[in-house]
Amino acid sequence: MDFAYYFLKEGTSNYVKTELITFLTSNPNITPPDPNSDELDRVYTYKHPVLGFEAYFVMSDRNVINHLDRISPNYFDVHFYVHFNVLLTDYAAELILDIVDDITKRFRFLTYNEAFPDVVPFKRPLMLKAFTTWKRTYAGKNPEVVAKYSYLDSSSYGSVLNYMQKQMRLELTLEDQKVVVSKYCFYKTEKSRTAFIAIKWDGISPFILPPAIDILILDDGKTTRFISLSEIMSKAKKLFTIIDGYGDISILDSSSVKKLYKILTKEKFSPLSVKLEELTLNNILDI
């Protein structure tokens, strides 16, 4: 199921369409429609370059808002809207709203969704609330769909996606220091929707500790151990340093590698009590 925001103007439906087309096509992450297509709807497909989710900006030759009689008569449908999967994360919806915000400012558009009492200027809290309400309603009516996915709370999911967008910059910044910029691994258990977030460490390299980690996997070539990060931090928090300008992202530098490895191999940690199965990020929802 898709969720949509519609664009309108007050007093007129006129605007310079070529300027909107130029705006959309100037975004390197937006693919324009086939110029030879005879479809009434011209779809400009946005795909996030790192996170991979999509949104569809649609220009049409017809009214796109159902039940226009429900809104005030001085607002006019400009035949332009954006829609995307209702099960996207709140974080992804926020990034789409960044584009929507820019469009409304440039073209003096107003916005509408069926959850709104009427047409409104761009109001991020209201628009995000409408999205999350629709998402929860859809999930409540379609539990069999949601049950196919694992779950991360919105805060943790947002931290994961935010870190993923910073990975390339970290790799470039730390290239000369030979620091491993850790990548996330995701796991689930057989009888729960809860997703667990992990990183792997070889026991010999300085590495980045991303936010929202549940498990550190020590894989030193001799053994593989799944260790709770909260237990590790209770014994070794002082070995990690927050990186300035990166929020809650930490680093274990070369001077602390042997100390951490000794703690992980000599100290006692709770054994893993469940069987974990690896999964991909696109099999996780924040609802």
Side-chain angles (χ1 to χ4, degrees):
M1 177 182 176
D2 277 0
F3 176 85
Y5 297 117
Y6 299 93
F7 298 92
L8 302 94
K9 292 199 75 172
E10 185 172 7
T12 180
S13 62
N14 294 328
Y15 69 97
V16 183
K17 293 183 179 181
T18 53
E19 291 184 4
L20 178 57
I21 292 171
T22 298
F23 170 82
L24 294 171
T25 55
S26 67
N27 187 321
N29 302 317
I30 291 179
T31 302
D34 181 351
N36 298 318
S37 172
D38 57 1
E39 294 288 334
L40 292 177
D41 293 344
R42 295 171 297 284
V43 181
Y44 294 78
T45 303
Y46 169 82
K47 184 171 184 178
H48 193 279
V50 176
L51 307 180
F53 65 85
E54 295 183 344
Y56 309 94
F57 292 86
V58 183
M59 298 180 70
S60 182
D61 292 330
R62 54 189 171 82
N63 286 337
V64 296
I65 301 175
N66 294 323
H67 309 295
L68 274 171
D69 56 305
R70 294 179 182 175
I71 64 179
S72 301
N74 53 321
Y75 299 118
F76 288 79
D77 184 349
V78 299
H79 310 161
F80 178 55
Y81 67 106
V82 58
H83 67 95
F84 49 92
N85 191 329
V86 74
L87 292 179
L88 283 186
T89 63
D90 292 357
Y91 185 92
E94 289 263 25
L95 295 179
I96 294 168
L97 282 173
D98 288 342
I99 303 174
V100 172
D101 186 16
D102 203 1
I103 289 172
T104 58
K105 288 175 179 175
R106 285 173 180 260
F107 298 94
R108 298 182 181 178
F109 287 158
L110 302 170
T111 59
Y112 179 70
N113 174 270
E114 291 178 41
F116 297 174
D118 205 343
V119 178
V120 297
F122 180 89
K123 293 182 178 180
R124 184 179 293 267
L126 175 65
M127 298 176 79
L128 187 60
K129 181 179 179 181
F131 169 69
T132 57
T133 299
W134 273 72
K135 179 164 61 174
R136 292 191 186 103
T137 300
Y138 176 81
K141 292 181 177 179
N142 299 274
E144 73 286 353
V145 175
V146 175
K148 297 176 183 178
Y149 295 83
S150 293
Y151 166 78
L152 271 180
D153 66 87
S154 292
S155 177
S156 295
Y157 214 141
S159 294
V160 166
L161 299 182
N162 188 44
Y163 171 77
M164 289 175 66
Q165 292 195 89
K166 295 176 179 178
Q167 277 182 265
M168 184 174 292
R169 180 155 57 101
L170 280 166
E171 288 170 355
L172 293 172
T173 301
L174 300 170
E175 184 177 14
D176 293 339
Q177 300 179 42
K178 297 182 179 180
V179 175
V180 174
V181 179
S182 303
K183 296 181 180 179
Y184 286 117
C185 306
F186 304 96
Y187 293 87
K188 66 175 182 177
T189 63
E190 185 178 353
K191 297 182 178 180
S192 172
R193 285 190 64 228
T194 301
F196 297 94
I197 310 169
I199 57 168
K200 295 181 179 180
W201 183 45
D202 61 9
I204 58 175
S205 302
F207 69 95
I208 294 297
L209 180 65
I213 296 296
D214 299 305
I215 300 166
L216 186 145
I217 305 169
L218 176 62
D219 186 357
D220 61 3
K222 301 175 184 177
T223 184
T224 301
R225 296 180 62 197
F226 288 67
I227 308 172
S228 164
L229 186 71
S230 61
E231 288 192 45
I232 293 172
M233 297 306 276
S234 70
K235 303 173 186 288
K237 185 176 182 179
K238 63 182 180 181
L239 301 180
F240 293 89
T241 304
I242 292 290
I243 304 176
D244 290 341
Y246 283 88
D248 52 354
I249 298 174
S250 302
I251 185 171
L252 180 86
D253 63 30
S254 56
S255 66
S256 298
V257 165
K258 290 183 179 179
K259 295 176 184 177
L260 180 62
Y261 185 73
K262 183 178 180 180
I263 290 172
L264 298 186
T265 54
K266 302 297 183 183
E267 298 278 346
K268 289 185 177 181
F269 295 93
S270 301
L272 189 66
S273 59
V274 293
K275 183 179 180 181
L276 295 178
E277 177 184 343
E278 196 163 2
L279 73 159
T280 59
L281 187 62
N282 60 7
N283 286 315
I284 304 174
L285 300 177
D286 63 353
I287 190 167

